Amino acid sequence: MQTNKLLTLIIKDFRLEWRNKFALGGIMLYLVSTVFVTYLAFGGVITMQAWNALFWLIMLFAAINANLKAFVQENESRQLYYYTLASAREVIGAKIAYNALLMTVLGLAGWLIFVAFMGNPVKDLLVFLLNMWLGVVGFACILTLISAIAAKAKNNFTLMAVLGFPLVLPLLLLVIRVSDAAVAGTPASIVAPDVLLTVLLISMAVLLSMLLFPYIWRE
Amino acid sequence: MVLLLKNWWKILGIILLIYVLAGGLLFEVPELPVLRQSIRNIYFHVGMWFGMIFILCIGVFFSLRYLAHANKVDDLKALAAVKTGLLFGILGLLTGMLWAKFTWGVFWLNDPKLNGAVVGVLIYLAYMVLRSSFDDREKRAKLAAVYNVFAFVLFFVFIMILPRTAASSIHPGLDGNPAIAFGDLAPEMRKIFYPALLAWFIMTYWLYRMLYRTSAIEEKIKEIKENQNFY
């Protein structure tokens, strides 16, 4: 694996994103409208737990939307061309890295929009934001391989959701638990094992993606 | 006689299962509060869940082998194993729900172990959906194998590690392996529990073999038909 190839691939993804601004804009619009719908539905009065649950649900759907693009937006012949330039591991590595960066941006944007409408009950902001970052990066790491699989099918959004949901659930439960603690202001040392487990889960997903992707990229 | 020698393990399985059914329902069990006679379910509920894990391990083994050798037999075997695992997972869920109704008073409640069980069933149902989304045999086999390996690892993290970090769980086995650990079970129950595990392992393996062989025959018939049309 070569770093400069990896970087080139990531930069290529950024350029693509920039040229098709409507795709990113669509997800932003999705974020704003879902948050607005929840705002209207709850009438602005919301418990801490519901705040947390809604935030993560919205992030989950945004993640599935955003990550699906990874392999769907480029047609097969162009992907074939990439494979002549870089190895399969470089391709998936770059995609994961790019998706993680994209999700970081989306996560922050989503959080800002959410706070603007629903208020900010978070007591321990640092733990909350770190955990949120870990969570959205984890979504990207798990869903990128799923996106590679789903992109091969015709009904790819349905497939992405069906395959992705049960697999991100362990991660989702972990980050929601930590997030709950951060919202309530529980000392960080109590949730440290959960954070460690999240990191473990993410690294395992990345490792498996790297190992498994070479088998399917040619299909 | 040859037939008998070849199929001895199936006969053993049947005898064991009859023993477990009869012994499980009739033999003495210790009278514990709350659990009372419902403890007999341990031979079935735990046995089915273990059978599922056993057969899913076989499934992931064949998925890995498919990735290494691209032999379509391995794909059919992995599929048969997942199907068997799904059946036993659902049976484990149902027996568990029944047990929960009699001991906890409800069929379902929010608990890390119970959630893990549902997620497992969802993951493998998704595997079936994935397979049905592709017409091309090789493509389907490869993608299904990759998904199976990926899902298996994440699923095991979910059911093996996550419940142990949870603050509390109503389901037994927070700090170890329920029922399997030697001190957990009364001696008179071990006489049925260990044979029960073996019996469920044999049953899952037998069912998996049957599913695999029928699917292999179906494949063969399809191939022959395709060739006939071709010429």
Side-chain angles (χ1 to χ4, degrees), chain A residues 142 145-146 149 152-155 159 162-163 166-167 169-170 173-174 177 194 197 201 204-205 208-209 212 215-216 219, chain B residues 67 115 119 122-123 126-127 129-130 133-135 138-139 142-143 146-147 149-151 153-154 157-158 161-162 165-166:
Chain A
I142 293 177
L145 185 74
I146 300 299
I149 293 175
K152 315 278 183 199
K154 282 174 218 98
N155 51 347
L159 198 59
V162 167
L163 298 179
L167 290 186
L169 252 171
L173 287 183
L174 276 173
R177 215 150 71 189
D194 283 346
L197 208 59
L201 204 64
M204 214 141 67
L208 279 172
S209 302
L212 292 171
Y215 291 105
I216 53 168
E219 287 302 312
Chain B
L67 290 179
N115 293 337
V119 168
L122 283 180
I123 284 178
Y127 173 88
V129 173
L130 172 65
S133 319
F134 297 99
D135 298 325
E138 257 175 60
K139 197 172 176 179
K142 216 166 233 175
L143 292 171
V146 164
Y147 177 75
V149 176
F150 194 59
V153 175
L154 291 183
V157 171
F158 199 29
I161 302 173
L162 263 196
T165 66

Side-chain angles (χ1 to χ4, degrees), chain A residues 83 86-94 209-210 213-215 217:
Chain A
Y83 299 138
S87 75
R89 294 224 165 106
E90 283 157 359
V91 171
I92 187 83
S209 302
M210 293 278 188
F213 185 70
Y215 291 105
W217 65 273

Side-chain angles (χ1 to χ4, degrees), chain B residues 6 17 21 42 47 60 70 103 131 171 174 198 201:
Chain B
K6 223 175 102 186
L17 207 60
L21 272 173
I42 203 170
V60 89
T103 50
R131 292 192 71 97
H171 194 286
L174 193 62
L198 188 60
F201 283 166

